[in-house]
Amino acid sequence: AWVTKFNESKTADRWFGKDWTRFRPELDYAAHSGADNAPGEGAGAKQGKTFPHPLTGGLKAPGKAYYEALANSPFGNELLLDFAKTCVTEEKLGADDVPDLLTVSFSSNDLIGHTWGPDSQEVLDVTLRSDAIMAEFLRFLDATVGRDNYALALTADHGVCPLPEAPAGAARGARRVDLTDVQKGLEKHLADRFGGAPAGAKEKKTGWVEAVSAPWVYLNGRLIAAKGTTREAVARAAADYLAARPDVARAFTRADLVDPADAQTRQVKKSYYPERSGDVYVLLRPFDLPGKTGATGTTHGTPYGYDTWVPLIAYGPGVAGGRRDEPVTPQAAAAILARFAGVPAPAQAEYGVPTTLFPK
């Protein structure tokens, strides 16, 4: 009922017609990030590449395009903060001796990073605003639940690749890799190696590659069977061809992921799900992105540091202050919060509580 009431209040409409301007106008944003109109930046939901960013979505009244623009701005986080605070109040979280768990995903940071890139003034601005949002949330929890009556783990699921066109990317020779061209080259290589489609084939898709959905290449099982070869043999030939391309760092078959021999392969295996993944995993060179020339924005999903280094902050009673240098992943949040709740950590938890986090 309280969710229905929250939505019926139209609180999400209160930013319509307003502009997203810089949170700290006295701060030299260019000195801390870069130019406001940097190469490779996107324009969002009709928000433009530079400040100020309109939030109408090109509409005259709130509608789908406006809500997309709202989510792709720091005000999407503000809306979620209001919702989270309402949840704490209405559900009476922390009001009794039974532990409550609240998870909140401030995802506007993700959308903004995809659109304007991690080194943009927009990401700098949403980061400054995120700090203020967390401060407000902690003040709210102190007032409603009570200081030392709650614990918090703050982390992120991934980082993001810098824009290839930005100065840092250009200095590294970064580029956007057209996977259509990669697929064409791979198709020719496999046809030369194993032969073309069988005579009289009726399938509409008679090539060796069924589909490419980064980072996976899916092979055509029908053609493999018709040619009397094996999926493993074709996958190995495909991986060897791809790994030799100048725009590819490494390529992995399913067999390569069974018993990973190095740290990077172990990381790739974490993105492998046998029932859905393809036949060959393609890892582009560091700082390269899949996409056509002239595309904008960025993405993530590699084992490289810029995609995997994220914060993990634990806050609550009994936590020792300071930085920890033990290897850890965001999944450690599960063990940390289990410790606070007084319950066993999940059996599949990859990392337990850092040994120096709780001094007692």
Side-chain angles (χ1 to χ4, degrees):
W2 67 262
V3 176
T4 300
K5 183 179 179 181
F6 184 92
N7 288 332
E8 289 177 346
S9 72
K10 303 292 184 182
T11 184
D13 295 348
R14 71 178 187 266
W15 292 278
F16 184 81
K18 295 183 179 180
D19 288 341
W20 170 16
T21 59
R22 293 179 180 86
F23 184 59
R24 295 275 304 278
E26 80 287 358
L27 192 67
D28 186 350
Y29 276 49
H32 292 278
S33 54
D36 191 16
N37 189 7
E41 291 187 347
K46 296 186 177 180
Q47 294 164 280
K49 294 179 65 175
T50 61
F51 284 104
H53 297 287
L55 290 175
T56 63
L59 303 178
K60 294 183 178 179
K64 182 175 183 292
Y66 158 67
Y67 297 122
E68 290 176 349
L70 177 64
N72 201 32
S73 80
F75 307 119
N77 286 343
E78 292 190 18
L79 174 63
L80 184 58
L81 175 63
D82 288 348
F83 187 74
K85 290 163 71 173
T86 303
C87 176
V88 172
T89 301
E90 295 294 334
E91 295 291 341
K92 298 180 175 57
L93 301 185
D96 55 29
D97 292 334
V98 179
D100 296 309
L101 176 65
L102 174 65
T103 59
V104 186
S105 175
F106 290 104
S107 296
S108 290
N109 303 62
D110 179 285
L111 299 174
I112 291 168
H114 274 283
T115 301
W116 287 280
D119 303 310
S120 64
Q121 294 192 15
E122 286 76 11
V123 164
L124 171 60
D125 193 75
V126 74
T127 303
L128 294 170
R129 291 174 182 267
S130 296
D131 184 66
I133 281 178
M134 290 308 303
E136 170 57 26
F137 198 26
L138 293 176
R139 283 192 293 266
F140 171 79
L141 293 175
D142 282 350
T144 56
V145 179
R147 192 179 183 91
D148 291 338
N149 288 329
Y150 66 90
L152 179 145
L154 185 151
T155 188
D157 54 345
H158 57 74
V160 74
C161 181
L163 296 173
E165 300 83 0
R172 299 183 178 99
R175 57 188 290 267
R176 296 183 190 267
V177 178
D178 189 341
L179 296 184
T180 302
D181 292 340
V182 174
Q183 182 173 344
K184 289 179 180 177
L186 176 59
E187 193 68 62
K188 182 180 184 306
H189 174 77
L190 294 178
D192 291 344
R193 172 76 180 275
F194 298 99
K202 297 181 179 179
E203 291 90 358
K204 292 182 178 179
K205 295 182 69 67
T206 57
W208 286 99
V209 180
E210 191 82 45
V212 176
S213 180
W216 289 101
V217 172
Y218 292 79
L219 297 173
N220 186 343
R222 300 184 303 277
L223 183 54
I224 291 172
K227 286 295 183 180
T229 185
T230 65
R231 187 178 289 270
E232 291 75 17
V234 179
R236 183 72 269 158
D240 290 344
Y241 164 79
L242 292 167
R245 288 181 61 98
D247 44 19
V248 174
R250 297 180 69 179
F252 306 83
T253 68
R254 286 173 168 243
D256 294 330
L257 302 178
V258 172
D259 187 18
D262 60 89
Q264 190 174 73
T265 308
R266 287 193 291 272
Q267 286 179 289
V268 169
K269 185 177 181 179
K270 294 176 186 291
S271 293
Y272 171 55
Y273 185 65
E275 286 77 11
R276 296 182 183 178
S277 295
D279 298 280
V280 181
Y281 180 106
V282 184
L283 179 62
L284 297 179
R285 295 185 314 158
F287 299 99
D288 282 0
L289 282 177
K292 298 181 182 296
T293 302
T296 61
T298 184
T299 191
H300 49 82
T302 74
Y304 298 132
Y306 51 76
D307 276 351
T308 58
W309 289 5
V310 297
L312 175 59
I313 300 171
Y315 172 82
V319 174
R323 173 175 172 161
R324 302 293 181 275
D325 292 319
E326 295 134 298
V328 73
T329 76
Q331 283 78 9
I336 292 170
L337 294 177
R339 167 71 177 264
F340 279 120
V343 298
Q348 298 298 319
E350 183 173 354
Y351 289 91
V353 178
T355 57
T356 58
L357 185 62
F358 297 94
K360 296 181 181 179

